[in-house]
Amino acid sequence: MVQLNYNERSWAIDVIAEIKKYLANKSVIIKNAGGENTLKKSKSTYFPDVLLFGDELGNSILQGWELKMPDTPITDPELIKNAREKADLLGVNSFLLWNVSEAVLYKIDDEGNHKIIKTWNDLNYINTREIVRERTVEWKQTLHKILDDLVDYFNRGEIRSTTIIDSVTGEGISNFILENVYLVADCLKQYSATNVDFEDEVFIWWDTVRVEYPNENDPWQPLAKNILISWMNKLLFAHILKNFREEAAIIDKIDLDTKPAEAVNIITDISSKCDFWNIFAPQLGEEHIPSSVWEKIVHYNIFLTDLKLESVGQDLIQEILQSTIYRTHRKLAGQFTTPKKLADLLVALTIKNKRGNVYDPCCGTGTIARAAFDLKVESGISYKEALQTTWASDKFSFPLQMATLALTNPKNIGEVINIFKKDISDLKAKEDIKLSNPVDGSEIIKQLPQMSSIVSNLPFVRQEVIKKLNPSIIKNINNKIKKALGKGYQLKAKSDLYAYLPFVLWDLLKDDGRLGIIISNSWLSTEWGVEFKKALRKFFHIEAIVTSGKGKWFNNADVVTNILILNKINPKADSLEGKEISFVTLTEDIINKEYNDKNLINNIARSIRTKKKDKYLNIETYSLEQIKKIDELGITWSALFSNCDWLFEITDKLLPASKIFDIARGERRGWNALFYPEPGHGIEKIYLKPVLKSSRDIKGYTATANSEAFCCTVSLQKLREMGHLGAYNWIKKFENGVNNTGQPLVEVLTNPQYSYWYSLEPKTLADFVISMNPDERLFVAKLETRSFVDQRLIRFTANVQDVDMDLVHALMNSILGLFFIEALGFGRGLGALDLNATKFKRDLKILNPYLVSKEQAERIKDKFSKLKKRGTLPLLEDLNCGIRKEFDDVVLRAFGIEKYKEQMERSLKNLYNIRKSVCQNN
Ligand SMILES: C[S@@+](CC[C@H](N)C(=O)[O-])C[C@H]1O[C@@H](n2cnc3c(N)ncnc32)[C@H](O)[C@@H]1O
């Protein structure tokens, strides 16, 4: 005879039924119980057997229970540990264990320790599982007592509940799923070894996004994380959708018997009936999940079934969606997502006509599209119209899932959401876009309207990868620029992807359309930025450039970003006379800091539009004529965030540095063993010159080269004739040598700029030197004796005889000299300054030493000698030091420009602070 086994599971199901019955007509804080699905469909090692809910619809979770038969001791450490983990998972601070004979209530205190606060042991005579069923009346009585007591505890606030939102989107469950990233990453990697098509797809994605993951060397973990987040989002959204569409109820079918591929089919089925394709679309690699991880995902789904999200209210749904987005952002924090407040500022600055169409073509998780939607709704536009006039697309499907969630609102379920998958470089004005019909998921076609505003945080793709990812964009855009502006115009090959995109987007804008983009700051100061600026200014009026003066907007060490606000113009027709560009510095961290002032961002946007300085921002405006002069001076646009008007007054005191120096990078001859001989070489003294091998060897304003370089421009034959056998033999030693790739040195070192393959030319000996990446200390060092310098240094080799080089050295280290160094460079993500020898050669200006009388020169040198004695200091300390102040006074007085000193100092400090501000929140 088959004996029906009354086990833990059957008892737990009876307990849940009894709790519901007991509570049915009561008006107490515990409203309902759940967990039956978990019990029926799984052995639930992850979620509690019984869940107590705080109201009928289950909006709050009060507590989880673990139920055992009497043969498991209530003190079983495994049982306690397991129950504790489940409480943490849900985010509640209590749990209850009950093995029929005894029940105990645990509370978790603020320090995270759990201890028993109540015990019920009147059933301790039930000590075997066989008699549990026959003692139903008794255990039910105890159950009622437990419930009554718990009501007291909850009423007194001694134990705390959690909301469904916090539980479902909180840390506990996120960590529960995301702690499996490594396992999934490994599984994906292994699968890629068997499927090269998959591997190729993954790497196309990775090439585009890798800059946003500076700490990752390969795509597997980021991809695994995306996949896990995507599964959580899909399941949660499908459960929410049950509110609106009964077809979504099949999500409850995903249980422990369901394989990932079958789950994908169930979800695709839901999407085909209820739309939201962008949320439900299959993600790259999502089926390749190890079974242990899949089991957890399924348990999560069963838990969601128990929560009965189909009957929660609309406000709660809205909150759950918001929190899901927030959770996703938090988990991807600092990678490609745009901080919400930055998105708010971008849209507030860009969108002038709130009724017009707005579009984010690289929408990622949709933060910017959502900010645009909110701006519309806040200004009184209906939800429906706001949705109809908001557009977003991305090249990849994972972000589209999030973007769709971001624009989904219970009030607009049933409306078409204008989100689609598209590579920005393939976009055409007015093209037909495939969207999906919310009623039945069928395809509908809408024409992409010309946009009033385009707002986007553009992808950061370096030039090396563009050819691989967007092969046609370079040619197409250069043709477009040439066609509009003439043959001389085209972007430099070194331009990053974002340099091409404004010209793609130009076509999609209405004639008076506006473009607001977040891009890296590299264009302000790089060589390729010069061409970019030229072309940009023909297609757009640059209205404002916004930078951070405090803290970085993104958590990525390599990239510093700006907002750029542009107005579309006709390259042939529009006159820009009288137009100005605003350079805005945010002086407070209004992007990443927490604060409650909801209007702050809008107020700041208004100040920027009306060019009003306030405590949050500094604005400098320049006319286009002034900008032209700045460009002629070679000053980078980064300098314009501080007031540079004084510069226009002193131009007649300046001299291009290239008039007295040859400026270039230090030596890079390519075979150190030959050119930098180790002691014992036997080379004659006349062929040895000093070499400064590293910026670390520069200890102050005067530098000493303490290594030797082999410098010979004499033929081998002549050397032998002269009996200079030390040098001769030295060269011979390398004559038959090969480099690391096996090529003969004689071949690889031959270069028309050098007399012989073994030559270093004395004309590249440096008089002055500056590091290519100075950080806090800005200064030009003079070499004690002319020396070769390493390639990480910029060398200045005097090519005139008629100037006093000590005077020049002093002038280059004056406040104005330092300003020019800072203003020609470009701030790196870690706060160091990036200097470029070619730019220095072309653009560096110095105070003209020919304008100084002998007496003035002596006075300057005298003060400078004190500065030299003092040594170099970090810039801000340097500028505050009395010795420096006296020195600068004498210099500026000699040129009659002392009245600008304060402005110079402000400009220099400002520029320096903007560069260093990136370190403030690292
Ligand atoms: C910096 S992120 C945008 C972040 C977004 N605003 C957010 O908050 O999530 C750049 C986005 O551009 C997308 N992308 C990269 N290359 C693209 C291309 N060629 N066409 C369209 N989108 C692209 C990436 O997938 C990424 O989502």
Side-chain angles (χ1 to χ4, degrees), residues 337-606:
T337 60
T338 311
K340 168 144 184 6
K341 288 173 192 145
L342 186 59
D344 288 341
L345 181 62
L346 178 72
V347 299
L349 282 173
T350 313
I351 300 176
K352 279 201 165 159
N353 172 8
K354 294 179 189 148
R355 291 217 112 94
N357 281 297
V358 183
Y359 176 35
D360 181 353
C362 298
C363 67
T365 59
T367 326
I368 296 173
R370 174 63 198 242
F373 175 85
D374 287 346
L375 186 75
K376 285 167 177 275
V377 170
E378 276 158 25
S379 72
I381 295 171
S382 71
Y383 277 79
K384 193 167 169 182
E385 186 183 335
L387 196 69
Q388 279 167 351
T389 51
T390 305
W391 294 74
S393 62
D394 199 279
K395 182 172 172 163
F396 298 106
S397 15
F398 171 70
L400 288 184
Q401 179 190 64
M402 286 305 302
T404 309
L405 281 173
L407 284 184
T408 301
N409 182 299
K411 293 208 177 61
N412 57 32
I413 284 189
E415 302 290 337
V416 180
I417 300 183
N418 301 323
I419 293 187
F420 54 99
K421 190 168 153 183
K422 187 96 188 172
D423 188 318
I424 187 171
S425 49
D426 300 334
L427 271 169
K428 309 246 168 352
K430 300 185 190 165
E431 75 172 291
D432 283 343
I433 299 294
K434 287 183 199 152
L435 300 166
S436 44
N437 186 336
V439 179
D440 56 7
S442 62
E443 189 175 285
I444 51 172
I445 306 283
K446 269 201 200 177
Q447 195 189 50
L448 190 68
Q450 284 204 299
M451 301 291 164
S452 295
S453 322
I454 295 181
V455 275
S456 199
N457 176 5
L458 297 180
F460 191 76
V461 177
R462 288 196 199 278
Q463 45 101 8
E464 306 86 25
V465 196
I466 304 178
K467 285 202 190 87
K468 207 155 82 186
L469 295 175
N470 303 89
S472 52
I473 198 165
I474 300 179
K475 203 162 127 229
N476 292 347
I477 293 304
N478 276 329
N479 282 342
K480 183 171 175 175
I481 294 175
K482 275 189 244 168
K483 211 158 129 198
L485 309 174
K487 275 211 162 123
Y489 285 93
Q490 72 167 31
L491 299 182
K492 283 223 158 117
K494 278 206 164 155
S495 310
D496 289 328
L497 177 65
Y498 75 76
Y500 297 90
L501 300 182
F503 305 99
V504 174
L505 299 175
W506 187 88
D507 285 342
L508 309 183
L509 283 167
K510 288 170 75 172
D511 285 348
D512 59 350
R514 289 163 65 76
L515 174 61
I517 46 181
I518 298 168
I519 52 176
S520 143
N521 69 350
S522 52
W523 67 286
L524 290 173
S525 340
T526 47
E527 284 289 290
W528 64 258
V530 174
E531 306 307 318
F532 170 66
K533 280 186 280 195
K534 264 193 216 155
L536 191 68
R537 281 149 73 188
K538 292 284 178 181
F539 283 78
F540 295 95
H541 163 54
I542 304 175
E543 187 175 294
I545 306 165
V546 185
T547 197
S548 169
K550 209 158 213 176
K552 267 175 86 164
W553 293 338
F554 293 88
N555 222 344
N556 179 338
D558 294 332
V559 188
V560 180
T561 40
N562 296 147
I563 291 180
L564 183 57
I565 305 292
L566 306 166
N567 280 306
K568 177 174 175 174
I569 55 172
N570 180 338
K572 297 243 162 85
D574 280 87
S575 152
L576 291 175
E577 233 168 87
K579 290 250 160 55
E580 286 180 333
I581 305 183
S582 299
F583 287 77
V584 183
T585 311
L586 300 182
T587 48
E588 292 292 327
D589 182 5
I590 54 152
I591 300 301
N592 289 313
K593 275 237 172 83
E594 296 287 326
Y595 51 81
N596 292 327
D597 183 353
K598 277 196 163 164
N599 291 323
L600 187 65
I601 293 284
N602 280 333
N603 291 341
I604 286 176
R606 185 162 300 113

Side-chain angles (χ1 to χ4, degrees), residues 556-697:
N556 179 338
D558 294 332
V559 188
V560 180
T561 40
N562 296 147
I563 291 180
L564 183 57
I565 305 292
L566 306 166
N567 280 306
K568 177 174 175 174
I569 55 172
N570 180 338
K572 297 243 162 85
D574 280 87
S575 152
L576 291 175
E577 233 168 87
K579 290 250 160 55
E580 286 180 333
I581 305 183
S582 299
F583 287 77
V584 183
T585 311
L586 300 182
T587 48
E588 292 292 327
D589 182 5
I590 54 152
I591 300 301
N592 289 313
K593 275 237 172 83
E594 296 287 326
Y595 51 81
N596 292 327
D597 183 353
K598 277 196 163 164
N599 291 323
L600 187 65
I601 293 284
N602 280 333
N603 291 341
I604 286 176
R606 185 162 300 113
S607 297
I608 294 175
R609 278 197 301 268
T610 54
K611 303 186 177 145
K612 199 179 94 214
K613 293 183 190 184
D614 65 31
K615 75 177 214 212
Y616 296 103
L617 54 97
N618 180 56
I619 301 194
E620 300 299 338
T621 46
Y622 297 90
S623 69
L624 295 184
E625 286 73 43
Q626 285 177 317
I627 297 267
K628 202 164 155 231
K629 281 189 198 147
I630 291 282
D631 285 345
E632 281 161 10
L633 276 175
I635 301 277
T636 68
W637 283 19
S638 315
L640 302 182
F641 290 101
S642 66
N643 184 322
C644 284
D645 288 351
W646 54 271
L647 259 173
F648 306 120
E649 312 298 324
I650 62 151
T651 43
D652 56 337
K653 314 289 181 208
L654 302 174
L655 180 78
S658 57
K659 290 257 189 257
I660 52 176
F661 291 116
D662 174 38
I663 305 173
R665 271 180 87 161
E667 275 301 337
R668 182 169 172 240
R669 202 59 178 92
W671 203 245
N672 286 356
L674 165 62
F675 295 108
Y676 302 146
E678 294 292 331
H681 45 67
I683 301 167
E684 290 77 10
K685 243 190 154 148
I686 51 163
Y687 301 115
L688 292 171
K689 297 276 181 232
V691 59
L692 185 72
K693 275 192 169 162
S694 153
S695 57
R696 276 191 305 276
D697 297 335

Side-chain angles (χ1 to χ4, degrees), residues 796-828:
F796 297 79
T797 305
N799 54 16
V800 291
Q801 310 277 315
D802 58 347
V803 255
D804 176 349
M805 278 300 150
D806 286 328
L807 172 66
V808 175
H809 186 210
L811 296 177
M812 287 177 87
N813 280 296
S814 69
I815 185 164
L816 196 63
L818 303 190
F819 171 82
F820 270 100
I821 294 171
E822 183 75 47
L824 256 58
F826 129 76
R828 280 269 170 210

